[in-house]
């Protein structure tokens, strides 16, 4: 239904993102404390220097992999599923849903990472992946308007402030090499980026419709300005050390250099909603209207709100990915238990980032005869926390995390992968 479309699209459609989404299930299962544990193809995403360590497998591969994180404000991510059956919700259920939304409004952040494949042979590794990050905020009065329709008594409350979103997506083709020099292993990863879309969107106009002297409807206009295509390169570097048996220490700098940049030619889409759309509109028809409105953006003649969206995109399109420091270690006990700790910090501001700027993680991994279990805990060193778990059963890798934080924030992260590696390791 239309209301399902408007609310869900507004909450989830658009990312800066929040808790850090690990690119593989094993790392998420240990709360992200995996820099000292990663071996083989996993080193591509955590520390390329681990490719040079003595106990790396001769080969390893993973296909496919999927990591997805979502965080919402007020409502739980699962509450949004109820909107699929919005037409059957009773008035009391609608009010209960609205009551979960803070006075400042609601919103959502998503972080999707999909390493399409990763392959390691000897000290080399290659891979390709897709990433999408985005966020969107929604004013509480807009949710009320969509849920309950126009109410004349609330005319003074309806507004479109603090309602807008961001989304960016790109492909990443990468290759890494690690080598041990004496007791120290060094590694480097090179990236070739293929940008897809960068979008800024918002409700840009609100009109009151009158029937004679009486206000009868609120009409709102939603616009999205986007940049498409581009190119970019990036370099990660890392070092690893095994000072005593069982102990691995590592440090990595992601995006030590990168030039990810979207094209400066912009496109714009527009969708205007009124009472008919709130009550009887068809989601597919609205999406078609929105897509068919696609046009070149022209700064001349653009209204101030649209121009502001365009200026944001032009200011962000060449900021690239944030330089990120990762440091930590792992210790393997004789009981087939591995303990891990990791600290991660985003050193630069970027609209295309992870869910947390800082993260400290601890985790444990226990190998059993037919299954490996993992658990972890992470914090953003402020008010956010993440409790995680995961398992390996044959080639199947699973990870899950529960996010919580101040401001009535809730979220989940899920990861899945099929992977394999050689039973023997390199000297």
């Amino acid at each position: 239904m239309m209301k399902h479309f408007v609310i869900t699209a507004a909450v989830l459609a658009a990312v800066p993102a929040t808790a850090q989404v690990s690119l593989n299930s094993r790392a998420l299962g240990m709360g992200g404390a995996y820099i000292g544990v990663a071996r083989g193809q996993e080193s591509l995403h955590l520390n390329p220097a681990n490719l040079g360590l003595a106990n790396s497998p001769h080969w390893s591969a993973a296909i496919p992999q999927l990591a997805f994180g979502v965080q919402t404000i007020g409502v739980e991510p699962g509450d949004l599923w109820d909107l699929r059956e919005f037409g059957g919700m009773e008035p009391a259920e609608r009010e209960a849903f609205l009551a979960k939304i803070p006075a400042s409004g609601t919103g959502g952040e998503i972080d999707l990472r999909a390493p399409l494949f990763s392959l390691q042979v000897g000290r080399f590794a290659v891979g390709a992946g897709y990433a999408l990050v985005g966020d969107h905020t929604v004013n509480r009065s807009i949710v009320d308007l969509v849920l309950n329709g126009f109410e004349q008594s609330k005319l003074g409350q309806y507004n479109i402030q603090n309602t807008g979103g961001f989304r960016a997506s790109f492909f990443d083709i990468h290759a890494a090499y690690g080598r041990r020099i004496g007791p120290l292993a060094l590694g480097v990863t090179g990236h070739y980026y293929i940008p897809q879309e960068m979008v800024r969107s918002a409700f840009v106009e609100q009109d009151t419709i009158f029937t004679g002297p009486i206000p009868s409807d609120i009409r709102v206009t939603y616009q999205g300005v986007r940049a498409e295509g581009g190119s970019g390169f990036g370099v990660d570097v890392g070092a690893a050390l095994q000072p005593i048996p069982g102990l691995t220490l590592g440090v990595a700098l992601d995006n030590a250099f990168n030039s990810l940049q979207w094209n400066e030619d912009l496109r714009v889409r527009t969708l205007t909603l009124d009472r008919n759309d709130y009550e009887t509109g068809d989601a597919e028809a609205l999406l078609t209207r929105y897509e068919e409105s696609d046009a070149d953006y022209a700064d001349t003649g653009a209204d101030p709100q649209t121009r502001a969206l365009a200026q944001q995109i032009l200011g962000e399109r060449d900021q690239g990915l944030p330089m990120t420091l990762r440091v930590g270690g792992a210790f393997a006990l004789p009981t087939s238990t591995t303990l891990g700790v990791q600290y991660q910090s985003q050193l630069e501001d970027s609209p295309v980032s992870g869910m947390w700027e800082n993260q400290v993680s601890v985790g444990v991994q226990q190998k059993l005869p037919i299954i490996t279990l993992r658990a972890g805990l992470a914090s953003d060193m402020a008010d956010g926390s993440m409790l995680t778990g995961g398992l390996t059963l044959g080639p199947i890798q699973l990870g899950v995390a529960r996010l919580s934080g101040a401001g009535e924030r809730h979220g989940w992260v899920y990861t899945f992968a099929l992977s394999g590696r050689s039973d023997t390791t390199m000297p």
Side-chain angles (χ1 to χ4, degrees):
M1 289 187 61
M2 163 57 5
K3 298 181 181 181
H4 160 250
F5 164 74
V6 172
I7 297 177
T8 304
V11 173
L12 291 179
V15 185
T18 62
Q20 203 67 25
V21 173
S22 297
L23 284 176
N24 70 72
S25 300
R26 299 185 188 202
L28 180 66
M30 292 185 65
Y34 207 70
I35 188 172
V37 187
R39 295 294 187 272
Q41 54 83 21
E42 299 168 340
S43 305
L44 266 171
H45 311 299
L46 287 160
N47 187 358
N50 288 10
L51 291 167
L53 294 177
N55 56 348
S56 293
H58 284 96
W59 66 266
S60 61
I63 181 172
Q65 300 182 73
L66 177 66
F68 176 73
V70 57
Q71 182 170 253
T72 54
I73 301 172
V75 298
E76 289 274 1
D79 291 332
L80 300 175
W81 186 259
D82 296 336
L83 297 179
R84 293 176 59 86
E85 303 296 334
F86 179 81
M89 292 177 67
E90 298 295 331
E93 293 176 313
R94 301 179 190 183
E95 290 303 320
F97 182 89
L98 189 63
K100 296 180 180 181
I101 299 176
S104 58
T106 186
E109 298 173 307
I110 59 174
D111 194 336
L112 171 67
R113 312 285 173 151
L116 304 177
F117 80 92
S118 299
L119 174 66
Q120 168 259 331
V121 178
R123 305 302 183 186
F124 293 89
V126 295
Y130 173 79
L132 182 150
V133 293
D135 66 42
H136 208 298
T137 57
V138 185
N139 187 293
R140 190 176 191 273
S141 68
I142 293 295
V143 180
D144 188 5
L145 176 65
V146 174
L147 280 172
N148 300 311
F150 174 77
E151 297 180 30
Q152 189 173 346
S153 62
K154 298 179 180 179
L155 179 62
Q157 301 176 20
Y158 297 127
N159 69 84
I160 57 175
Q161 297 177 2
N162 302 319
T163 299
F166 170 82
R167 183 178 74 250
S169 60
F170 57 91
F171 285 97
D172 176 10
I173 300 171
H174 39 278
Y177 174 71
R179 180 177 179 180
R180 195 167 64 252
I181 303 175
L184 187 67
L186 301 176
V188 60
T189 302
H191 298 264
Y192 174 62
Y193 298 115
I194 308 173
Q196 297 301 290
E197 288 188 329
M198 176 178 280
V199 182
R200 277 288 177 188
S201 58
F203 285 102
V204 297
E205 188 175 3
Q206 170 186 329
D207 296 314
T208 301
I209 306 302
F210 289 85
T211 301
I214 301 173
S216 58
D217 191 13
I218 293 291
R219 182 173 59 197
V220 293
T221 299
Y222 186 83
Q223 283 191 327
V225 178
R226 75 184 190 282
E228 294 181 325
S231 62
F233 298 89
V235 175
D236 308 334
V237 295
L241 180 68
Q242 294 175 310
I244 60 174
L247 178 62
T248 302
L249 304 175
V251 58
L253 190 64
D254 291 351
N255 307 310
F257 164 79
N258 87 91
S259 61
L260 178 62
Q261 184 177 81
W262 278 262
N263 292 329
E264 61 182 353
D265 295 331
L266 303 181
R267 306 283 294 177
V268 61
R269 291 177 177 177
T270 304
L271 179 65
T272 299
L273 305 172
D274 58 22
R275 187 172 208 153
N276 292 330
D277 296 316
Y278 307 146
E279 296 179 353
T280 62
D282 177 81
E284 291 186 5
L286 284 174
L287 286 171
T288 299
R289 275 169 46 192
Y290 184 66
E291 292 172 353
E292 290 180 347
S293 71
D294 191 70
D296 290 330
Y297 169 77
D299 193 67
T300 303
D303 59 73
Q305 294 87 350
T306 306
R307 186 177 291 115
L309 292 175
Q311 290 173 347
Q312 278 187 285
I313 288 288
L314 293 175
E316 295 169 337
R317 71 179 186 86
D318 58 357
Q319 289 188 20
L321 297 172
M323 185 183 298
T324 301
L325 173 69
R326 187 181 301 110
V327 60
F331 187 69
L333 301 172
T335 57
S336 298
T337 303
T338 301
L339 306 176
V341 61
Q342 179 176 303
Y343 170 73
Q344 181 169 303
S345 180
Q346 181 179 305
L347 304 180
E348 298 175 327
D349 292 330
S350 169
V352 187
S353 63
M355 287 185 174
W356 287 345
E357 292 186 2
N358 300 292
Q359 179 173 329
V360 60
S361 309
V362 293
V364 59
Q365 173 179 274
Q366 181 63 56
K367 292 184 178 180
L368 300 172
I370 63 171
I371 193 172
T372 300
L373 302 176
R374 302 177 184 87
L377 180 66
S379 169
D380 69 352
M381 304 177 66
D383 51 31
S385 63
M386 179 171 65
L387 182 64
T388 75
L391 62 85
T392 295
L393 184 60
I396 300 174
Q397 314 285 341
L398 298 174
V400 64
R402 170 63 170 169
L403 313 176
S404 60
E408 301 182 69
R409 291 179 176 269
H410 316 277
W412 292 91
V413 180
Y414 304 96
T415 60
F416 168 81
L418 295 175
S419 66
R421 61 176 66 187
S422 64
D423 295 329
T424 57
T425 60
M426 293 181 288

